[in-house]
């Protein structure tokens, strides 16, 4: 059987295609049951996120086409369309790919930690749906152990590379007592939500979120103990803000030079750190000309982001090395498991031949046949049955010049010779008799 990883991701498929191939939580159980029911599939797990949909299966040698055809049928997509953006990996390459996914090396943001949690959810769902057998169960457990080692030893997730984190990182350099600063966040999208979370984690407890609708602002500020306001309330909030970070989709600036000037007078010219993440801008460029205002745009954050990316790349190189060790470890364990299965199968075969010969011998004894002849026949039959298949295989190997098998055969079939052989009694007696008197 072959280990298969097949899927699409943000590098190979557009958002439109990824949306069509994604599995909703409600679909997953049904999808796993269908996939597992295919005659060629013995184990299956499905990972589906906004950036990737991947199927991990234990299948036969032609399984990738079977799985691709099924994926097209399930989502009512043409297989040709899927083929253009799908990738697949087999056995060791599939193991390597899964481990790279688990540690964030294959993610849109290098080293992002969310994918590991998503992978653990996929594993748990496949397990509950009885999609996992011994092969995938061991593979996922081995992968989680490698991912933990990478996170612990390389620190790949310690240097965030998002715009939101870069904004908070720059703000922390301006203020000596960052935790006592007051922050005003304008907007309520994903970026502002991340900014709010990073500020809270950095110790900032006085957060105000301004948005066109108060309800949306409350969803961000509420869990962090902050305050929600609407856009018309910004001038009053600006007077108290040490940090202002804005990211909206407004077509025109929200903060003008005059509004900020008035706020600075009320603040008695205490410095204000401002970051305008929006495109088009939320803060008029002229605001940066004011004394006591430190204004940065998204372009200014690029230096911080690039620095963190360099740190992550070093960690990524270390992670690749650990993953190679992980793949080697997986190969070693798999060989041992398969060797054990082969040994158990061989012993079952030998025991079956033994039991058949024994039962036949007992029947002859029950019929009153000569015990000596029964034992002699038993030994002869058992030896012949045990040697028949190896003998036939060696003949075939010789005719086909299979030198690898012929060279391995003595180690498998012949008992090892002891380092020092004692001469038999008869040989010793002949040597004694031949000695001159």
């Amino acid at each position: 059987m072959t280990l298969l990883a097949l899927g699409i991701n943000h590098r190979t498929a557009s958002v439109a295609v990824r949306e069509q191939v994604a599995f909703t939580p409600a679909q997953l159980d049904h999808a796993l049951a269908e996939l597992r029911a295919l005659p060629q599939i013995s184990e299956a797990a499905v990972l589906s996120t906004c950036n990737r949909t991947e199927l991990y299966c234990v299948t036969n040698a032609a399984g990738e086409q079977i799985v691709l055809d099924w994926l097209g049928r399930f989502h009512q997509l043409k297989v040709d369309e899927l083929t253009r953006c799908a990738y697949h990996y087999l056995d060791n390459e599939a193991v390597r790919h899964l481990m790279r996914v688990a540690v964030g090396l294959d993610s849109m943001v290098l080293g992002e930690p969310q994918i590991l949690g998503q992978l653990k959810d996929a594993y748990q769902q496949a397990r509950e749906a009885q999609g996992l057998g011994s092969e995938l169960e061991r593979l996922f457990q081995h992968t989680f152990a490698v991912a933990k080692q990478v996170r612990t030893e390389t620190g790949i997730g310690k240097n965030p590379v998002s715009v939101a984190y870069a904004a908070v990182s720059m703000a922390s350099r301006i203020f000596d007592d960052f935790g006592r600063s007051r922050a005003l966040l304008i907007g309520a999208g994903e970026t502002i939500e991340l900014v709010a979370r990073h500020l809270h984690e950095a110790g900032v407890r006085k957060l105000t979120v301004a948005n066109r609708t108060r309800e949306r602002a409350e969803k961000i500020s509420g869990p962090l103990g902050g305050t929600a306001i609407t856009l018309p309330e910004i001038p009053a909030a600006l007077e108290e803000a040490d940090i202002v970070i804005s990211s909206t989709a407004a077509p025109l600036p929200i903060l003008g030079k005059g509004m900020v000037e008035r706020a600075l007078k009320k603040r008695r010219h205490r410095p204000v750190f401002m970051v305008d993440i929006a495109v088009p801008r939320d803060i008029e460029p002229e605001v940066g000309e004011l004394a006591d205002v430190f204004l940065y745009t998204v372009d200014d954050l690029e230096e911080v982001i690039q620095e963190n990316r360099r740190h992550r790349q070093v960690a990524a190189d270390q992670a690749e090395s650990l993953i190679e060790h992980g793949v080697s470890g997986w190969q070693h364990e798999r060989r041992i498991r398969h060797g054990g299965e082969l040994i158990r199968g061989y012993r079952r075969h030998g025991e079956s031949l033994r039991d058949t010969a024994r039962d036949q011998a007992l029947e002859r004894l029950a019929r009153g046949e000569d015990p000596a002849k029964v034992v002699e026949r038993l030994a002869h039959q058992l030896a012949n049955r045990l040697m028949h298949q190896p003998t036939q295989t060696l003949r075939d190997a010789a005719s086909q010049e299979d030198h690898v098998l012929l060279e391995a055969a003595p180690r498998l079939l012949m008992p090892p010779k002891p380092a020092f052989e004692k001469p038999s009694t008869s040989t010793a007696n002949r040597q004694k008799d031949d000695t001159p008197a």
Side-chain angles (χ1 to χ4, degrees), residues 8-168:
I8 65 169
N9 65 18
H10 58 282
R11 292 191 181 92
T12 67
S14 65
V15 174
V17 175
R18 297 203 304 272
E19 286 174 343
Q20 293 178 77
V21 180
F23 292 89
T24 66
Q27 289 177 319
L28 267 178
D29 284 342
H30 179 57
L32 282 165
E34 272 195 22
L35 187 56
R36 178 66 179 80
L38 295 175
Q40 299 85 356
I41 306 298
S42 59
E43 302 179 38
V46 176
L47 171 65
S48 189
T49 73
C50 59
N51 284 329
R52 72 180 64 244
T53 292
E54 293 183 339
L55 313 175
Y56 294 90
C57 306
V58 175
T59 179
N60 59 26
E64 58 267 23
Q65 190 60 51
I66 301 296
V67 173
L68 197 62
D69 291 343
W70 171 83
L71 187 62
R73 287 197 307 273
F74 190 93
H75 290 295
Q76 299 179 346
L77 293 170
K78 293 181 180 179
V79 175
D80 290 345
E81 188 177 347
L82 280 176
T83 302
R84 284 194 293 270
C85 56
Y87 48 82
H88 73 271
Y89 302 97
L90 302 177
D91 291 326
N92 295 334
E93 290 301 317
V95 175
R96 182 176 290 105
H97 176 73
L98 177 60
M99 291 181 181
R100 295 186 81 255
V101 169
V103 302
L105 293 182
D106 196 56
S107 295
M108 184 178 292
V109 177
L110 181 66
E112 60 94 3
Q114 289 83 6
I115 187 63
L116 181 58
Q118 292 166 332
L119 192 60
K120 288 182 176 180
D121 290 341
Y123 157 77
Q124 191 61 40
Q125 186 139 13
R127 195 179 190 192
E128 291 172 358
Q130 298 182 336
L132 301 185
S134 60
E135 193 79 357
L136 284 184
E137 175 71 38
R138 288 189 175 97
L139 173 59
F140 276 105
Q141 292 297 340
H142 190 81
T143 297
F144 296 150
V146 171
K148 181 179 180 181
Q149 182 185 15
V150 169
R151 291 283 168 188
T152 302
E153 295 184 15
T154 70
I156 193 169
K158 291 182 179 177
N159 296 286
V161 292
S162 68
V163 170
Y165 182 83
V168 173

Side-chain angles (χ1 to χ4, degrees), residues 92-406:
N92 295 334
E93 290 301 317
V95 175
R96 182 176 290 105
H97 176 73
L98 177 60
M99 291 181 181
R100 295 186 81 255
V101 169
V103 302
L105 293 182
D106 196 56
S107 295
M108 184 178 292
V109 177
L110 181 66
E112 60 94 3
Q114 289 83 6
I115 187 63
L116 181 58
Q118 292 166 332
L119 192 60
K120 288 182 176 180
D121 290 341
Y123 157 77
Q124 191 61 40
Q125 186 139 13
R127 195 179 190 192
E128 291 172 358
Q130 298 182 336
L132 301 185
S134 60
E135 193 79 357
L136 284 184
E137 175 71 38
R138 288 189 175 97
L139 173 59
F140 276 105
Q141 292 297 340
H142 190 81
T143 297
F144 296 150
V146 171
K148 181 179 180 181
Q149 182 185 15
V150 169
R151 291 283 168 188
T152 302
E153 295 184 15
T154 70
I156 193 169
K158 291 182 179 177
N159 296 286
V161 292
S162 68
V163 170
Y165 182 83
V168 173
S169 178
M170 290 188 74
S172 66
R173 300 175 187 178
I174 302 294
F175 301 96
D176 294 331
D177 193 352
F178 189 54
R180 298 185 61 175
S181 302
R182 297 172 180 265
L184 170 62
L185 310 182
I186 304 173
E190 184 179 350
T191 300
I192 287 297
E193 188 172 0
L194 284 171
V195 168
R197 205 177 305 156
H198 287 314
L199 285 169
H200 188 76
E201 290 171 356
V204 176
R205 293 294 177 263
K206 296 176 181 178
L207 288 170
T208 299
V209 179
N211 190 52
R212 184 174 57 83
T213 61
R214 190 184 301 271
E215 291 76 18
R216 177 58 187 157
E218 285 176 345
K219 288 183 180 179
I220 296 176
S221 62
L224 303 178
T227 303
I229 63 173
T230 59
L231 297 183
E233 300 174 83
I234 286 178
L238 197 57
E239 298 172 6
E240 302 294 328
D242 305 305
I243 301 166
V244 179
I245 301 176
S246 186
S247 178
T248 76
L252 297 173
I254 293 174
L255 299 186
K257 184 177 180 181
M259 182 191 300
V260 177
E261 275 184 315
R262 289 189 291 273
L264 286 172
K265 289 178 182 178
K266 294 287 183 69
R267 289 174 56 80
R268 296 182 180 178
H269 298 281
R270 280 182 289 118
V272 181
F273 173 83
M274 293 185 172
V275 181
D276 189 352
I277 301 175
V279 178
R281 298 184 188 184
D282 282 340
I283 304 174
E284 288 182 347
E286 292 77 11
V287 171
E289 300 171 1
L290 297 173
D292 305 314
V293 173
F294 300 87
L295 175 61
Y296 297 89
T297 67
V298 68
D299 292 339
D300 298 319
L301 302 179
E302 189 61 28
E303 183 180 347
V304 176
I305 293 171
Q306 289 300 331
E307 182 183 351
N308 284 351
R309 280 181 182 152
R310 285 192 291 272
H311 287 301
R312 282 206 175 186
Q313 189 56 56
V314 171
D317 294 340
Q318 296 170 339
E320 295 282 12
S321 177
L322 291 174
I323 285 172
E324 287 307 310
H325 284 295
V327 173
S328 298
W330 165 256
Q331 290 174 312
H332 179 68
E333 290 180 10
R334 199 182 196 196
R335 284 194 294 266
I336 291 175
R337 288 200 306 274
H338 288 185
E341 291 169 5
L342 179 63
I343 290 169
R344 287 189 291 273
Y346 178 68
R347 292 189 68 87
R348 283 195 297 269
H349 173 66
E351 289 165 358
S352 175
L353 295 177
R354 176 202 65 194
D355 293 345
T356 300
R358 178 199 62 204
D359 293 343
Q360 291 173 348
L362 289 174
E363 287 177 6
R364 292 189 181 95
L365 288 173
R367 290 196 299 265
E369 294 186 22
D370 183 354
K373 291 183 178 180
V374 170
V375 171
E376 185 176 352
R377 184 185 179 92
L378 168 66
H380 180 73
Q381 285 183 336
L382 188 56
N384 278 345
R385 289 171 181 173
L386 287 171
M387 291 186 292
H388 171 72
Q389 185 59 50
T391 301
Q392 186 60 49
T393 301
L394 285 173
R395 285 193 180 120
D396 293 342
S399 67
Q400 297 168 13
E401 297 185 354
D402 187 345
H403 300 294
V404 174
L405 181 56
L406 291 172

Side-chain angles (χ1 to χ4, degrees), residues 408-425:
R411 292 179 59 195
L412 291 170
L413 302 176
M414 304 297 291
K417 293 181 180 180
F420 301 97
E421 290 188 0
K422 292 182 179 180
S424 64
T425 304

